[in-house]
Amino acid sequence: MLDTLIQAASQALTLYNFFGAALGIFLGSLLGAIPGLNGTMAIALLIPVTYTWSPLFSIAMLVGCWKGSVYGGSISAILLNAPGTPEAAATSLDGYPLARQGKAGKALKMALYASVIGAVFSDVMLMVAAPPIAALALMFGPAELAMLILFALVVVAGTGAHSQVKGLISTALGMLLATVGLDPITTQQRFTFGSIDLDAGIELLAMLIGLLVMSEVLVQMEEGWQEAHSEAMARSADPNASRVTWRELKACLGTIFRSSLLGAFCGALPGVGSITAAFMGYDQARRLAKNPEDYGKGELKGVAAPEAANNAVCGAALIPLVTLGIPGALSAAVIMGAFMIHGLAPGPMLMTEHPETIYGLFMLLILSDFFMLVIPLPLMKLGQWVISVPRAYLFPVILVLCVIGAYGTQQNLFDVKIMVFFGVLGYFLKKWGLSPAALLIAFILGPMAEVYLRQALKISGGSPMIFVTKPLALGFLLATVAMIAWTAYRRRRGKGAAAAH
Amino acid sequence: MIQNAKDFKLGAGLAGFCLLALVYLIPSQVGSLTDADAMMPALITGFILVLSLLLMLQALRRPVAEADQEHPPAGQAVRRSTKITLAAAVAIMAAYAWLLDIAGFVLTSLVAMVALFLIFGVRRWLTIAAITVITLAGLYVCFELLLGAPLPVGTLLERFLD
Amino acid sequence: MRTKIWAALLCLALVGVLAGGALAKGYPNKPIKFIINFSAGGTTDVAARLMAAKATETLKQALVCMNRPGAGGTLGVSEVARAKPNGYLIGTCNMPAVAIIPLIREVPYKPYKDLVQVCAVMPYEYALMVRGDAPWKTWEDFAAYVKKNPGKVTYGSVGTGTTNHLITARIGKEMGLDWKHVPFQGGVKETAALLGGHVDMINNTTASVASSIRAGKIRVLLVTSEDRLSLCPEVPTMKEKGFKFSQISYMSIVAPGGTPQAVLDKLSAAFKLATADKGVLEACAKLDLHPKFMPGKQYQALLQQLSAEWGKLLPELGVKAKK
């Protein structure tokens, strides 16, 4: 064991690999911070380039790139309300109001600390508890996943909307949009209007860029963009507004820890992903808070929670990858290609056949978490400078970046049209008080719910009893019912309290 | 009377869309409502229909919520010139998306970006030229040279090259 | 106004530079776009890129790889189908995108008219597998169990209408097995469901689960490809067990229909060299992939034969055919 560790250390801890990890974090947080571009695109584009590099260097760089971009997205989410990455959509809900109050620095730092804590937490999980977590993840079959997703849908339904009905409408619209494409079970075409490009469904990233970034440009244009920049930058004279005090961090630690746990759990389950994790993290904080009404208006915990959760996905998503050969998230699936091209077939034999490479990778992962604490700092300053530039100069650049970002991931021109369509739709959603964030998370969770429900029913031969006889499924079903009851109870009590005043 | 005209219109519009979907879109694009593939779309559409009716009902009784007033509602204080700028921006983006296919990335982006600067009221030509060239050259170098991922050349240029 | 003039000048300069290079004679005289119809990082992508790198050396022009995944591979293939037949845009292709999916749903290309098979380069290797701790040691054990427990056993595939689904369904039909098909979206979720014990058996490519097979977490019961596999040489093939068919699907190279024969020959020769290259073979072997060349004409004939066969079988297997 010790021999392996020493060998791993000598292989991994070279200046060359440090550079790889640092480069990944830098590229990721830079691309993540630029609205329109994002880490998933960067990873997809970088993969072929890394085929010729050494395995540890390229894997450390790709994972760093992923981690960096998940954090980097929060910079533009907080400063511009235009999340650079989909994972940061939940962060902007409270981050942008904080920035408008002149507390951009505070929100940015809190996002960074929460991200790093979440990332370290999940990397430690990967190192010490990979086999049991992988075993736990495998216990989730279609029936269990169906109930889990149902639970998640109930938890996040309506996030960021002005009223409950509008929140639910946004959620349902997201689910409806997700049915475009091939039916997941019969592979018949649904709402494709004879276009093969729609057969593959609406490309998530293209839609997101339109919905979250382009629409925000339009909204801010309308809200008098000549003045907008000065308002967002109204810096408070209080030095505390641009840093996180120890007391504030301590107050958030509970939330951060719960979010990290949730994030790691979402990461380890194949196909649940970091966007779900971010929203689950945000909503657990909101629902467990004593002051849920402050969320969406600039609550610091509302920044810490999603950032801890989405960064906790990265390390955990490698758990099923290295133990079972099953990637836990979309980016992990692409990173699996980097393992394979270097002759490291992911799966149970990886640990026994190449222990020194895997331990070396673990070391680099932890190291890159610390890089993450330092490398984005200048980027934060740069971001704060960029938004002081008049919006008239900024917006054309952002719009061109949106086009490139939509095109880049799949290199498909059709996605650019999708992006523009959703940019306009997102503008109207915001005008009508509907929530693009709720639509987005439903777009991701909705089809999962459908697929898993129908798969479970296929397994059971059509009997819904499968959701009751499997203990884990039953547990989540009961949790869902409890959640609905609790929400109703809290609303009633909230109304009662309001009436008493 | 109607307390919240905006929400009422939204509800009515959504309800109309749902009816259209149930009567025409789903049968023609998915399959008959009883098919397994059509179950989910039909259920969701029905759900939205119920919700939009609820929204209309609420709009009849409840005045505009406080939270809604933070964003300036349509029609209020939005100057006509702003609306025109907005429409122009959308038109440029739409043209951008459709012309990429034909004229390629470099040419289309160049024109679109300059046009966007102009409608946003920027008239400092040197600044426009500098930002445009730096952005596009940066993207071109990253994609074509560093990543080896080709940007669209455009059918027009391709024909010219053959 | 001045900016516009500058813009025009810039474009002219660009056109000039690009056009100058392309006017030279002889194929290929400019980079070839190579569309990979699966996503970056998958086995098809890895194999395709390895071969493309080798073909680049042979052709002395770069094969620029682009991933166009989606819709069971048809998205990438349709892009090739609508390209100009000059050999400067080719792509990879999987068997169902040509021989099966066009039977099930509308696709914007005619598989044998808009596309021409340059050559087949790698057979995918398939098998029926169960969990390592399952009670069934052989295919006969398993089949007997299914017979004894009608309607109880479930099998997973990577999706409806894939070869994984259709071959398994056909086996069930021939033997009169009463079992349930559960389509998953891709091999990853299918494998996870098997390892978690949520389905009893899966049909999957062996390369993607090679590590689990070696570790004994997954047991191969029956090889559904033509020949035995080096990964599990002791497991018999379905042909040996008396079935008259097997699961044949190659990764092939396609070009737009109407591409000149001389161009096709040049491409085919380049890929033939790539599939025999020691470096490519070694890199592939690490991932349990085994490239093998088959001439385009021969593969096209095979595809047409498969198309006809599946056309008759689909309704019997309960797959909804094209409206």
Side-chain angles (χ1 to χ4, degrees):
Chain A
M1 184 65 199
L2 197 66
D3 280 358
T4 321
L5 280 179
I6 293 170
Q7 208 186 341
S10 69
Q11 242 189 42
L13 305 179
T14 63
L15 223 61
Y16 177 67
N17 286 337
F18 287 3
F19 176 69
L23 182 70
I25 296 273
F26 172 73
L27 278 179
S29 43
L30 180 67
L31 286 174
I34 298 175
L37 307 184
N38 57 70
T40 315
M41 179 186 95
I43 293 170
L45 289 171
L46 273 174
I47 274 268
V49 183
T50 63
Y51 283 180
T52 52
W53 301 344
S54 90
L56 269 177
F57 179 86
S58 31
I59 296 170
M61 194 192 80
L62 290 167
V63 178
C65 191
W66 184 21
K67 286 184 171 190
S69 88
V70 170
Y71 165 70
S74 72
I75 298 181
S76 44
I78 290 168
L79 293 174
L80 277 173
N81 198 25
T85 58
E87 289 91 350
T91 312
S92 65
L93 294 175
D94 277 283
Y96 187 59
L98 275 170
R100 290 194 125 186
Q101 295 161 19
K103 293 182 190 158
K106 188 193 279 294
L108 285 171
K109 296 237 167 72
M110 180 49 97
L112 181 65
Y113 299 150
S115 294
V116 173
I117 296 174
V120 171
F121 177 86
S122 104
D123 286 341
V124 170
M125 291 296 250
L126 167 66
M127 272 173 255
V128 300
I133 292 178
L136 177 74
L138 282 183
M139 288 168 69
F140 282 77
E144 289 84 358
L145 282 167
M147 291 301 111
L148 170 71
I149 299 293
L150 201 64
F151 176 69
L153 259 174
V154 169
V155 171
V156 303
T159 305
H162 291 324
S163 77
Q164 200 156 28
V165 174
K166 285 188 177 176
L168 287 175
I169 290 180
S170 316
T171 306
L173 279 176
M175 290 173 77
L176 188 63
L177 282 168
T179 59
V180 172
L182 298 181
D183 178 282
I185 302 293
T186 65
T187 70
Q188 292 293 311
Q189 284 140 331
R190 300 198 292 197
F191 300 120
T192 58
F193 302 94
S195 154
I196 180 123
D197 290 303
L198 280 176
D199 269 10
I202 295 169
E203 166 60 22
L204 176 69
L205 277 167
M207 172 180 136
L208 287 175
I209 294 169
L211 213 53
L212 300 176
V213 182
M214 187 183 147
S215 75
E216 189 57 29
V217 169
L218 297 177
V219 168
Q220 290 190 16
M221 252 177 73
E222 185 174 351
E223 286 176 0
W225 42 272
Q226 290 98 333
E227 297 87 34
H229 68 278
S230 47
E231 184 194 354
M233 277 310 291
R235 278 200 213 189
S236 165
D238 183 6
N240 266 342
S242 55
R243 62 191 171 98
V244 175
T245 62
W246 173 237
R247 263 181 64 187
E248 283 168 323
L249 185 65
K250 225 165 81 183
C252 288
L253 273 182
T255 307
I256 292 179
F257 182 72
R258 280 196 304 274
S259 275
S260 304
L261 204 64
L262 259 173
F265 178 66
C266 289
L269 285 177
V272 175
S274 48
I275 307 173
T276 314
F279 277 90
M280 289 287 277
Y282 179 80
D283 284 289
Q284 64 84 12
R286 181 170 63 97
R287 285 178 185 270
L288 293 176
K290 291 189 192 75
N291 54 341
E293 65 283 353
D294 287 348
Y295 280 75
K297 292 176 189 156
E299 167 65 48
L300 203 55
K301 281 181 191 165
V303 172
E307 281 302 308
N310 63 24
N311 274 279
V313 167
C314 307
L318 297 179
I319 291 175
L321 181 72
V322 295
T323 51
L324 305 164
I326 295 166
L330 198 69
S331 300
V334 184
I335 289 171
M336 189 164 122
F339 277 87
M340 290 187 353
I341 197 79
H342 293 111
L344 303 165
M349 294 306 278
L350 194 57
M351 215 44 147
T352 33
E353 281 172 357
H354 307 278
E356 67 297 332
T357 311
I358 294 306
Y359 284 116
L361 180 65
F362 289 172
M363 290 173 193
L364 284 174
L365 283 180
I366 286 285
L367 196 76
S368 61
D369 291 341
F370 289 103
F371 283 157
M372 201 157 87
L373 204 54
V374 189
I375 292 176
L377 287 176
L379 219 59
M380 261 183 218
K381 285 269 174 293
L382 187 72
Q384 281 172 303
W385 174 78
V386 164
I387 59 157
S388 69
V389 170
R391 297 286 154 108
Y393 291 93
L394 210 53
F395 285 163
V397 180
I398 293 182
L399 288 174
V400 169
L401 290 173
C402 285
V403 168
I404 263 296
Y407 169 77
T409 323
Q410 304 268 349
Q411 294 170 46
N412 188 346
L413 282 171
F414 183 76
D415 290 340
V416 178
K417 295 172 191 170
I418 290 282
M419 190 277 292
V420 173
F421 174 80
F422 278 97
V424 178
L425 185 75
Y427 166 79
F428 283 109
L429 289 178
K430 285 178 180 172
K431 294 278 290 182
W432 294 331
L434 296 172
S435 163
L439 186 146
L440 145 72
I441 186 67
F443 180 85
I444 294 167
L445 290 178
M448 286 193 212
E450 180 184 12
V451 171
Y452 293 135
L453 275 173
R454 285 169 67 181
Q455 275 171 358
L457 290 175
K458 285 239 171 202
I459 291 175
S460 73
S463 157
M465 287 305 285
I466 187 170
F467 302 117
V468 185
T469 49
K470 296 215 167 198
L472 265 173
L474 180 65
F476 279 105
L477 183 61
L478 291 178
T480 309
V481 175
M483 191 77 216
I484 295 173
W486 189 57
T487 311
Y489 166 73
R490 261 191 103 138
R491 262 178 68 80
R492 178 156 299 180
R493 207 182 54 175
K495 264 188 195 160
H501 275 291
Chain B
M1 271 308 285
I2 300 171
Q3 297 283 336
N4 187 339
K6 203 176 116 203
D7 277 6
F8 190 80
K9 277 186 217 156
L10 172 62
L14 274 173
F17 167 75
C18 290
L19 287 175
L20 177 76
L22 285 173
V23 179
Y24 171 72
L25 274 181
I26 296 178
S28 79
Q29 290 297 327
V30 184
S32 96
L33 293 183
T34 47
D35 277 4
D37 352 7
M39 279 284 260
M40 193 74 173
L43 274 176
I44 301 169
T45 316
F47 186 54
I48 303 179
L49 184 62
V50 173
L51 287 171
S52 49
L53 293 177
L54 208 65
L55 186 68
M56 285 165 76
L57 210 69
Q58 275 187 1
L60 281 179
R61 294 184 303 156
R62 259 187 236 166
V64 181
E66 206 180 312
D68 275 348
Q69 281 169 340
E70 279 172 22
H71 290 276
Q76 179 205 311
V78 178
R79 272 171 285 134
R80 217 172 133 238
S81 61
T82 311
K83 271 191 177 166
I84 293 172
T85 313
L86 207 63
V90 171
I92 291 172
M93 288 306 284
Y96 191 176
W98 263 265
L99 286 176
L100 266 177
D101 239 340
I102 301 162
F105 171 74
V106 177
L107 186 60
T108 325
S109 304
L110 199 76
V111 175
M113 213 164 159
V114 171
L116 285 168
F117 274 122
L118 290 180
I119 64 151
F120 286 155
V122 180
R123 291 290 180 274
R124 286 155 66 181
W125 290 103
L126 213 64
T127 320
I128 293 181
I131 299 180
T132 310
V133 169
I134 291 173
T135 311
L136 296 186
L139 287 172
Y140 191 85
V141 168
C142 281
F143 273 76
E144 294 272 347
L145 305 181
L146 295 182
L147 293 167
L151 290 163
V153 179
T155 45
L156 204 68
L157 206 58
E158 265 175 0
R159 187 161 308 158
F160 192 74
L161 292 179
D162 283 338
Chain C
M1 195 57 216
R2 207 181 299 160
T3 321
K4 279 178 198 155
I5 297 172
W6 270 108
L9 279 178
L10 205 88
C11 295
L12 272 180
L14 193 83
V15 169
V17 169
L18 291 174
L23 286 173
K25 287 257 150 57
Y27 176 85
N29 57 18
K30 62 177 183 181
I32 300 164
K33 285 187 191 162
F34 187 50
I35 307 257
I36 298 167
N37 69 337
F38 285 95
S39 51
T43 44
T44 302
D45 177 63
V46 171
R49 282 178 192 270
L50 285 167
M51 287 181 212
K54 193 70 207 162
T56 296
E57 282 173 30
T58 321
L59 293 168
K60 307 238 164 26
Q61 279 293 346
L63 265 73
V64 185
C65 299
M66 299 196 267
N67 296 88
R68 283 279 190 292
T74 54
L75 211 61
V77 170
S78 76
E79 179 130 350
V80 177
R82 65 169 175 253
K84 248 176 281 160
N86 55 11
Y88 290 106
L89 194 152
I90 60 173
T92 62
C93 173
N94 53 330
M95 187 278 269
V98 171
I100 298 177
I101 294 175
L103 302 171
I104 300 178
R105 58 173 191 259
E106 217 59 63
V107 288
Y109 54 86
K110 295 188 188 68
Y112 301 112
K113 198 171 151 262
D114 299 342
L115 288 168
V116 53
Q117 301 287 332
V118 177
C119 56
V121 288
M122 188 180 75
Y124 293 107
E125 296 173 339
Y126 300 98
L128 303 184
M129 317 166 204
V130 293
R131 244 164 81 129
D133 56 6
W136 318 291
K137 303 283 180 229
T138 62
W139 165 245
E140 282 82 7
D141 287 354
F142 182 72
Y145 177 81
V146 182
K147 282 223 161 126
K148 226 179 275 164
N149 300 279
K152 222 184 119 199
V153 176
T154 51
Y155 71 90
S157 80
V158 298
T160 303
T162 57
T163 59
N164 310 64
H165 162 217
L166 295 175
I167 289 285
T168 319
R170 196 169 163 187
I171 291 173
K173 192 176 149 278
E174 293 229 335
M175 297 184 64
L177 300 178
D178 180 11
W179 54 7
K180 289 177 290 192
H181 169 229
V182 184
F184 289 90
Q185 290 171 303
V188 166
K189 289 177 186 164
E190 182 198 24
T191 310
L194 178 76
L195 288 172
H198 306 287
V199 289
D200 300 306
M201 191 266 287
I202 59 169
N203 179 326
N204 197 357
T205 51
T206 46
S208 59
V209 290
S211 182
S212 293
I213 293 175
R214 277 204 212 96
K217 301 259 181 200
I218 288 181
R219 180 184 302 137
V220 180
L221 287 184
L222 186 67
V223 173
T224 48
S225 294
E226 293 260 271
D227 305 305
R228 290 197 179 205
L229 309 177
S230 57
L231 183 62
C232 43
E234 70 291 349
V235 181
T237 65
M238 61 187 290
K239 280 227 159 131
E240 291 171 37
K241 292 286 170 194
F243 291 98
K244 295 278 181 297
F245 55 95
S246 52
Q247 192 167 358
I248 304 168
S249 177
Y250 278 77
M251 167 181 147
S252 63
I253 309 296
V254 283
T259 306
Q261 191 59 43
V263 169
L264 293 180
D265 289 344
K266 217 161 190 177
L267 284 169
S268 175
F271 276 99
K272 186 169 187 177
L273 274 178
T275 53
D277 181 71
K278 214 172 145 225
V280 173
L281 288 176
E282 267 173 18
C284 285
K286 278 191 191 165
L287 304 170
D288 281 285
L289 300 170
H290 306 99
K292 203 168 98 187
F293 180 84
M294 185 194 282
K297 288 234 167 68
Q298 190 185 337
Y299 187 55
Q300 182 121 355
L302 180 66
L303 284 173
Q304 273 163 324
Q305 181 201 329
L306 285 173
S307 245
E309 234 175 84
W310 287 119
K312 270 181 246 143
L313 272 165
L314 282 181
E316 296 175 35
L317 299 177
V319 176
K320 214 155 100 177
K322 199 155 66 182
K323 288 164 201 166

